[in-house]
């Protein structure tokens, strides 16, 4: 079946540091890939998505590239802010079903 | 535009009581999802509705859980009787056309004592 594996946290960074969260997937076919973000006490928000191989999703300074050869969709941001502190979820879609990774908690210190 | 609306935001109840969670999807969306989030199991899909019809309820834990969608703008998730292991955050999400992009509500944090 489909599954998503993302790096375990928590991750603690200083402001303006570079952030990478690794995500790999197992799937039949070619699913769409997503990153969702959950801020404390809130629901999940779509951060970015990519629907086919070599697509790059980007939003709010975050980027992720759909790599079919390595079955990966790593999330990156060049300079994080305190406001980026949240839990980040990698996910893939199989028709209507989203399969989520376990989530990575990121804390950015001023 | 209003997002997905859930109520209540917090619910504390005692074991054995009935709990009803409510969701109003984004207007025009024709797909609705209920999820449960726990530390141990992460995010789990409980049930999926399309055009108000339950399509996949394979994630509903047991008969104590039931969900309805009487119209396009309202859905409920009911637990009867509730148990302490039902304590979790329950999310509702909706989508339209491109069913892959789901929009989540703020969640209901349920605590069963």
């Amino acid at each position: 079946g489909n599954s998503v594996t993302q790096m375990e946290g928590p991750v603690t960074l200083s402001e303006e540091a570079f952030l990478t969260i690794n995500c790999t997937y197992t799937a039949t076919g070619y699913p769409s890939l997503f990153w969702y973000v959950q801020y404390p006490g809130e629901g999940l928000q779509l951060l970015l998505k990519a629907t086919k191989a070599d697509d790059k999703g980007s939003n709010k300074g975050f980027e992720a590239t759909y790599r079919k050869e390595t079955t990966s969709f790593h999330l990156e941001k060049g300079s994080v802010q305190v406001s980026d502190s949240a839990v980040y979820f990698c996910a893939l879609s199989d028709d209507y079903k989203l399969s989520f990774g376990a989530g990575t908690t990121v804390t950015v210190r001023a | 535009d209003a997002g997905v609306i859930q109520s209540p935001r917090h619910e504390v109840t005692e074991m054995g009581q009935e709990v009803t969670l409510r969701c109003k999807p984004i207007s025009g969306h024709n797909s609705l999802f209920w999820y449960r989030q726990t530390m141990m199991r992460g995010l789990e899909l409980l049930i999926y509705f399309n055009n108000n019809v339950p399509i996949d309820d394979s994630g509903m834990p047991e008969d104590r859980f039931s969900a309805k969608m009487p119209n396009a703008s309202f859905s409920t998730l009911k637990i009867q009787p509730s148990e302490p292991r039902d304590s979790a955050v329950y999310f509702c999400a909706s989508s339209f056309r491109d069913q892959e992009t789901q929009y989540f509500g703020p969640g209901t944090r349920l605590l069963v004592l």
Side-chain angles (χ1 to χ4, degrees):
Chain A
N2 297 334
S3 67
V4 174
T5 302
Q6 62 183 104
M7 64 183 282
E8 294 186 14
V11 174
T12 302
L13 303 164
S14 297
E15 230 173 1
E16 299 184 4
F18 185 86
L19 170 67
T20 299
I21 304 176
N22 290 339
C23 171
T24 57
Y25 67 90
T26 302
T28 54
Y30 304 101
S32 293
L33 301 174
F34 304 81
W35 277 101
Y36 278 83
V37 59
Q38 184 178 27
Y39 298 104
E42 299 184 10
L44 280 72
Q45 300 176 25
L46 178 66
L47 182 58
L48 53 85
K49 64 184 275 192
T51 59
K52 61 183 186 297
D54 299 325
D55 266 3
K56 178 186 283 187
S58 61
N59 185 26
K60 298 182 180 179
F62 290 89
E63 292 184 340
T65 301
Y66 191 143
R67 300 287 188 201
K68 190 175 72 171
E69 62 277 11
T70 55
T71 61
S72 65
F73 193 55
H74 305 321
L75 182 68
E76 297 181 336
K77 185 174 185 180
S79 177
V80 294
Q81 305 299 314
V82 172
S83 57
D84 293 325
S85 298
V87 182
Y88 293 81
F89 293 90
C90 185
L92 66 80
S93 70
D94 177 8
D95 192 8
Y96 60 86
K97 274 193 172 180
L98 282 177
S99 298
F100 288 92
T104 302
T105 300
V106 173
T107 302
V108 181
R109 300 177 301 189
Chain B
D1 288 341
V4 175
I5 298 171
Q6 291 187 246
S7 64
R9 293 294 308 275
H10 302 274
E11 178 81 26
V12 181
T13 190
E14 293 188 347
M15 183 173 63
Q17 297 298 305
E18 177 179 295
V19 175
T20 299
L21 310 181
R22 297 172 176 80
C23 174
K24 177 178 170 55
I26 293 172
S27 178
H29 282 191
N30 61 352
S31 294
L32 185 138
F33 308 81
W34 282 101
Y35 289 88
R36 180 172 65 178
Q37 184 181 40
T38 61
M39 289 293 292
M40 290 295 293
R41 301 174 67 91
L43 274 158
E44 304 172 277
L45 176 64
L46 299 178
I47 187 167
Y48 159 56
F49 290 89
N50 190 50
N51 293 325
N52 312 338
V53 176
I55 303 299
D56 182 355
D57 65 355
S58 59
M60 295 287 263
E62 49 198 275
D63 291 346
R64 297 185 297 106
F65 285 69
S66 63
K68 294 182 180 180
M69 192 165 186
N71 58 62
S73 59
F74 184 66
S75 176
T76 60
L77 178 67
K78 184 175 295 186
I79 308 172
Q80 167 63 19
S82 58
E83 296 183 2
R85 60 193 169 117
D86 301 329
S87 298
V89 182
Y90 291 82
F91 289 105
C92 177
S94 69
S95 68
F96 178 61
R97 285 183 180 176
D98 173 9
Q99 296 186 341
E100 296 176 329
T101 303
Q102 297 180 22
Y103 297 86
F104 284 72
T108 295
R109 188 173 296 274
L110 173 65
L111 177 61
V112 183
L113 302 174

